[in-house]
Amino acid sequence: MSRIPLGQDEAPTHVIAHLSDSHFLAGGAPLHGAIDTDRTFARALEQVEASGRPIDAIVLTGDIADLGEPEAYARIRGMVEPVAERIGAEVVWVMGNHDERTPFRAGLLQAGRAPGSGEDPVDYAVDVAGLRIVALDSTDGGYHHGRLDETQLDWLAGVLDDAPEHGAVIALHHPPLATPLPVMEVLELQHRDAFARVIAGAGDRVRGILAGHMHYGSSGVFAGAPVSVAAATAYTMDLSAPARELVGVDAGQAFALVEVRPTGLISATVPIGRPTRVSGFDGEFLDRLEALAPAERIELFSRKR
């Protein structure tokens, strides 16, 4: 499905469905004894597919399984891959601090996709119609904070250096951004300066950075690159809670639809659920707009009636 631009900007080159922090448990056990992670995640996939948008990739930025259990990986893969096949999207799985590298590799990745074994970082790149999506393992074994070692950053620099026509998007679990939650500062991506040098050195070849981990949606700029952090599908952090408390809630779950453009990323948050429709326009109205000249579109849709 091609898109006719109705404004001043060119259509995106790629669209990514960005999901994060599913935290599946073996046997579908409720997370924290209360959260039905499967139901919310399944609804997110339904919304991705029902949108009818031309999704090029489904990127899942870590904490796929809460305890790194093989059955949890098998179950979520069984949910994602049929949807990806139906819509023609590539699937990119990214390690999170709750994941475990050996079962993650065995349960989610195609043979040979990510070199290494055991506790080697799960780093790899996938080219999708001229866009390179880089899965970067920011986990530090046995800890919840993030780190990137020198070998990984050297590899990343090389992967970015020969990025294809539409550049690269980097996907990692720990966002290289500040957080308004003081406790979460302990669990941030450490030593970001070296990562920043690699990003800055790649210039506009880096279209943007996708991340998760925080359990709330946010955005920012890091070393000149736009950053989009997807809210969790499992549960979210209540940013309106008392300033010195960290409160997770069964509300606000969301994913992001990310448009990749030559100038960077445009990321839109999509709440997960079945909301009541109160207004809107259908496809026939969009057909009418697309058939008009720009000035006529403004008269039809912009002029106050």
Side-chain angles (χ1 to χ4, degrees), residues 61-63 94-99 101 120-123 134-141 143-149 152-153 170-176 187-190 192 195 209-213:
T61 49
D63 285 0
V94 181
M95 272 283 299
N97 50 280
H98 278 264
D99 294 306
R101 285 168 173 165
D120 294 331
V122 185
D123 299 327
V134 183
L136 191 60
D137 183 350
S138 60
T139 66
D140 189 358
Y143 294 92
H144 286 301
H145 67 256
R147 67 182 292 272
L148 298 166
D149 66 32
Q152 287 180 282
L153 293 175
I170 299 169
L172 76 170
H173 185 62
H174 298 81
L187 308 183
E188 67 185 0
L189 180 66
Q190 297 189 351
R192 294 197 296 256
F195 184 36
I209 299 170
L210 306 181
H213 185 53

Side-chain angles (χ1 to χ4, degrees), residues 209-293:
I209 299 170
L210 306 181
H213 185 53
M214 305 309 293
H215 286 245
Y216 61 84
S218 67
S219 62
V221 177
F222 178 72
V227 180
S228 173
V229 182
T233 66
Y235 68 92
T236 65
M237 291 298 171
D238 182 2
L239 297 183
S240 66
R244 296 184 63 79
E245 296 183 17
L246 187 67
V247 179
V249 293
D250 185 8
Q253 292 93 334
F255 63 96
L257 284 175
V258 178
E259 294 186 344
V260 183
R261 298 170 181 266
T263 53
L265 301 182
I266 302 295
S267 180
T269 298
V270 183
I272 300 171
R274 300 179 184 274
T276 300
R277 179 167 174 163
V278 296
S279 68
F281 297 89
D282 60 18
E284 291 184 2
F285 184 75
L286 182 58
D287 291 340
R288 289 175 61 193
L289 280 178
E290 291 175 338
L292 297 174

